[in-house]
Amino acid sequence: MRSLFLTYDGLLSPLGQSQILPYLRGLRRRGHGISILSFEQGKNAEGGAQVELRRQLESEGIAWVALRYHKSPSAPATAFDVAQGAAMARFLIARDGIEILHARSYVPALMALLVAGPRKIVFDMRGFWADERVDGNLWDPKHPVQGTIYKLAKALERWGLRRSDHVVVLTRAAASILGDIPGVKLPLPPVSIIPTCVDLDRFTPIADKATRRRELGLPEAGKLLVYQGSIGTWYMLREMVQLVKRAKQRWPDLVWLVLAPSEHELFRKECTEAGLVEGRDFRLQSLPHKEVPRWVAAADAALFFIRPSYSKLSSCPTKFGECLACGVPVIANAGVGDVADTISAHRVGTALDSFDEGSYDAALGQLEALLDDPTTAARCRAAAEADFALSDAITRYDQIYRGLSGRQES
């Protein structure tokens, strides 16, 4: 059977490079026919990078159609993209003999639902998208327009859960509450928990951090704390800065390494207002995604705080598995997917329940004990191998596809 993978994220984006293409290439190697429909933004909407990636995918037997993503005005732009995406999906179904529609998140799910007919649908929910928009203060459910859009998105969620042949979520926490979503009819279709996974061949621990830091122009001595990724709506920058400031009292030579593709001025402003000095206390670095593993592995520990909420119970931060795969313990917070449970089960970091000086001091004390434990890096790596291996995720998707097609692995 041949599948059509629909994504509103671009294949040329960092997310597409790390969280879409590796899975689909793995499924192609397992013998599945793969077509992809994506929406590309900005400079990725055309040009040499797109031509080169299409050539690579064609050589691997993967068909790719890229449409341009439209951003504003938000609701009409998305409606236009849904219309053109559904039309293109209908064309690809006929051209490529598609039998499974695999929709990554809600907007692609709507495209799939509109054109699927008798074909199988995999609703790869990722997170509770409509509730994320409300919890992130992007939609006001009391606003006449935004409230209507929220209700429509929740209706789409119910439609997807009712019509799909298989549902994928990122966390055990999300799976446990699917049946409690108002208006969802039971029984649910089969549900698989497939967290955001990591290529363990790219993200690997290193024994000699001093040499790596010297190669990267980082301080060889002292503690190195890393944050990777953009800030966006959910990340609690001010609280992270306050923890770093507190950590400087414990370890005066600590440096906070921020690997962010953009928003450097926001980081710089927040750090400077807290009395942190660039170059001495924090470093800002923009990197292509392929370079990130070398820098993360050089750190002693990683830090990220995400605003906890109902919708974040479905979230599995990509950076979490990547840091663990590099043997790097994590300071995070509870209330985000399965993060706190994973940290506790494997003893690979510390998860805060509140954001105050007492909690910061307790977390830093726990981290210090972990850094003094010579087995911590190995436990981090083992946790990544157990919970976030890309190969395991590909196997699970392979099993879903084969189950929908009625075929067993030969």
Side-chain angles (χ1 to χ4, degrees), residues 163-198:
R163 166 61 181 84
S164 296
D165 299 279
H166 205 106
V167 173
V168 177
V169 293
L170 297 175
T171 68
R172 295 183 298 275
S176 69
I177 57 179
L178 280 180
D180 297 329
I181 295 174
V184 170
K185 294 183 179 180
L186 300 176
L188 293 168
V191 177
S192 292
I193 303 166
I194 306 179
T196 303
C197 290
V198 182

Side-chain angles (χ1 to χ4, degrees), residues 23-199:
Y23 296 77
L24 298 179
R25 282 172 158 148
L27 287 168
R28 180 70 189 103
R29 289 192 293 270
R30 298 282 180 105
H32 298 283
I34 303 292
S35 299
I36 306 171
L37 175 60
S38 72
F39 287 75
E40 305 295 324
Q41 299 188 41
K43 64 181 181 182
N44 293 332
E46 56 188 16
Q50 189 175 130
V51 171
E52 175 59 22
L53 179 57
R54 181 171 286 105
R55 184 194 64 76
Q56 292 175 12
L57 293 177
E58 286 177 354
S59 71
E60 298 168 30
I62 298 174
W64 175 36
V65 172
L67 299 179
R68 182 182 290 274
Y69 168 88
H70 296 88
K71 184 174 182 178
S72 61
S74 179
T78 302
F80 177 81
D81 285 346
V82 168
Q84 67 166 342
M88 180 56 69
R90 191 183 301 277
F91 168 77
L92 294 174
I93 287 169
R95 188 192 74 177
D96 297 342
I98 299 299
E99 295 174 89
I100 297 175
L101 295 171
H102 186 163
R104 189 182 197 277
S105 195
Y106 287 52
V107 173
L110 177 55
M111 301 175 200
L113 290 163
L114 290 172
V115 302
R119 294 160 192 86
K120 305 291 187 181
I121 295 179
V122 177
F123 183 15
D124 210 331
M125 292 182 69
R126 317 306 297 170
F128 299 147
W129 177 68
D131 297 292
E132 285 182 340
R133 305 289 291 181
V134 171
D135 290 342
N137 297 317
L138 299 174
W139 288 349
D140 179 357
K142 297 180 180 179
H143 186 278
V145 176
Q146 295 174 0
T148 299
I149 294 173
Y150 172 70
K151 291 177 182 177
L152 291 172
K154 293 298 286 185
L156 168 60
E157 180 179 77
R158 293 192 296 271
W159 185 15
L161 289 171
R162 183 173 65 250
R163 166 61 181 84
S164 296
D165 299 279
H166 205 106
V167 173
V168 177
V169 293
L170 297 175
T171 68
R172 295 183 298 275
S176 69
I177 57 179
L178 280 180
D180 297 329
I181 295 174
V184 170
K185 294 183 179 180
L186 300 176
L188 293 168
V191 177
S192 292
I193 303 166
I194 306 179
T196 303
C197 290
V198 182
D199 185 343

Side-chain angles (χ1 to χ4, degrees), residues 289-368:
H289 187 264
K290 65 181 180 181
E291 290 294 319
V292 170
R294 297 182 66 239
W295 292 70
V296 172
D300 294 298
L303 167 66
F304 64 85
F305 290 156
I306 298 174
R307 186 146 48 86
S309 65
Y310 165 79
S311 63
K312 287 291 112 177
L313 293 173
S314 64
S315 178
C316 180
T318 304
K319 55 176 64 66
F320 184 39
E322 291 176 344
C323 293
L324 295 181
C326 290
V328 175
V330 174
I331 303 177
N333 62 284
V336 179
D338 300 328
V339 168
D341 289 344
T342 300
I343 286 174
S344 176
H346 295 281
R347 292 191 300 122
V348 292
T350 180
L352 286 73
D353 291 308
S354 57
F355 304 94
D356 53 59
E357 290 186 349
S359 298
Y360 297 156
D361 287 341
L364 293 169
Q366 293 167 14
L367 177 62
E368 190 165 36

